[in-house]
């Protein structure tokens, strides 16, 4: 019997943002693998095995899930947000590429989810209404100089920038350095959005400007969107501003 491995996106937190395909893939699995807090979000079913692991053990978790599936089991690996965005799907692919030939015969299914960037954007308005990019600020898996080059390039050509993994105890200064860098290329008034734990009970969304952006506002559960020079905030009485990036850039032939 050939096994099955589903890599399932849970969305950012709100159960209403879990797709029906994700729900079905979780229910169908005989065993679940994932970072402990993500597994805790998934309802348990009698007879279903759970294998929580630490945040940093992505390669080992992927390999363990693949070994289990190769025994013929139906296994699901869960991921926050979308599994293909800075998450488990690429870790699973890397293990398959490096692993035994038998892993290539497994039925592998990636189940997409709502990524944090989309959830934060929706709370703020429509900041991703025109061209944008996403960057992980973590220099665990790439050199900081490369992150700086990418920030410069992205801001320089007018992309709105979504920053994942903005800060952690082991990476305390990188976000401040990133803001400093962006201030050299973008107007001080550029809208900046901090979305923390979006879709969870402790959600907090703050809209500020590049000039006012304070790295201390962010933690590991925060996604930051830095606008482009086209992005604007519409002030509204008694309500948070509505931030959007127009669909046409200035100078476009309409
Ligand atoms: N696969 C995930 C991203 C994993 S990287 C996804 O698609 O969303 C982890 C980073 O995602 C965090 O550091 C944070 O920047 C962001 N993130 C994840 N969940 C979030 C949430 N509920 N609210 C805000 N940011 C979140």
């Amino acid at each position: 019997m050939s096994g099955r491995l589903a890599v399932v996106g849970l969305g950012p937190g709100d159960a209403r943002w879990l797709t029906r395909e994700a729900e079905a893939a979780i229910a169908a699995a005989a065993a679940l693998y994932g970072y402990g807090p993500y597994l805790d979000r998934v309802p348990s079913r009698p007879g279903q095995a759970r294998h929580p692991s630490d945040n940093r053990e992505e390669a080992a978790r992927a390999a363990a899930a693949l070994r289990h599936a190769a025994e013929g089991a139906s296994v699901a690996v869960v991921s926050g947000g979308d599994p293909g965005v800075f998450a488990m799907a690429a870790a699973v692919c890397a293990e398959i590429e490096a692993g035994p030939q038998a892993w290539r015969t497994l039925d592998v299914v990636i189940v997409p989810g709502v990524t944090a960037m989309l959830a934060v954007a929706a709370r703020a308005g429509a900041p991703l209404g025109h061209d944008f990019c996403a960057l992980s600020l973590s220099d665990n898996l790439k050199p900081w100089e490369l992150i700086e080059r990418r920030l410069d390039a992205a801001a320089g050509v007018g992309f709105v920038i979504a920053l994942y993994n903005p800060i952690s105890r082991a990476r305390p200064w990188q976000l401040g350095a990133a803001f400093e860098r962006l201030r050299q290329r973008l107007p001080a008034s550029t809208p900046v959005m901090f979305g923390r734990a979006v879709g969870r009970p402790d959600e907090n969304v703050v809209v500020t400007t590049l000039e006012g952006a304070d790295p201390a506002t962010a933690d590991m559960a925060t996604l930051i969107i830095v606008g482009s020079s086209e992005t604007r905030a519409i002030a509204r009485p008694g309500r948070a501003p509505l931030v959007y990036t127009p669909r046409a850039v200035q100078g476009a032939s309409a």
Side-chain angles (χ1 to χ4, degrees):
M1 176 182 147
S2 86
R4 181 173 201 261
L5 181 68
V7 191
V8 182
L10 300 178
D14 189 322
R16 292 172 304 174
W17 288 343
L18 185 73
T19 69
R20 278 186 280 178
E21 186 187 14
E23 207 169 12
I26 291 162
L32 300 178
Y33 286 77
Y35 174 44
Y38 293 152
L39 276 185
D40 292 343
R41 282 206 232 149
V42 175
S44 60
R45 162 169 85 62
Q48 190 177 50
R50 289 173 167 249
H51 303 276
S53 47
D54 189 78
N55 210 359
R56 293 173 177 270
E57 293 169 6
E58 293 191 344
R61 179 191 307 142
L66 282 159
R67 274 195 300 274
H68 199 157
E71 290 166 8
S74 174
V75 174
V77 178
V78 300
S79 207
D82 180 273
V85 178
F86 307 122
M88 283 307 294
V92 166
C93 290
E95 291 304 311
I96 292 173
E97 188 175 25
Q101 200 62 25
W103 287 0
R104 300 188 183 207
T105 66
L106 291 170
D107 182 15
V108 175
V109 181
I110 315 292
V111 180
V114 176
T115 188
M117 166 179 81
L118 301 184
V120 174
R123 290 292 196 246
L128 307 181
H130 198 68
D131 297 347
F132 62 88
C133 66
L135 249 86
S136 170
L137 265 201
S138 170
D139 54 358
N140 291 337
L141 301 171
K142 60 187 167 189
W144 178 250
E145 298 68 45
L146 179 60
I147 297 175
E148 288 185 332
R149 285 215 312 269
R150 289 185 177 169
L151 286 169
D152 290 350
V157 295
F159 283 140
V160 172
I161 305 170
L163 296 174
Y164 285 78
N165 296 310
I167 200 161
S168 74
R169 244 164 291 167
R171 296 182 290 105
W173 55 263
Q174 283 83 341
L175 179 58
F179 284 148
E180 274 313 314
R181 209 130 185 128
L182 293 170
R183 283 181 190 120
Q184 291 165 26
R185 289 191 152 66
L186 292 167
S189 59
T190 304
V192 173
M193 292 133 272
F194 290 77
R196 179 176 187 282
V198 169
R200 302 185 208 148
D202 49 343
E203 166 174 330
N204 188 30
V205 178
V206 172
V207 177
T208 178
T209 59
L210 189 52
E211 187 176 32
D214 177 3
T217 313
D219 65 6
M220 270 170 60
T222 307
L223 179 122
I224 297 161
I225 299 178
V226 179
S228 71
S229 59
E230 308 275 331
T231 307
R232 55 192 94 180
I234 308 170
R236 300 188 297 171
R239 291 180 185 277
L242 203 50
V243 180
Y244 84 109
T245 306
R247 297 184 58 225
V249 296
Q250 273 175 31
S253 56

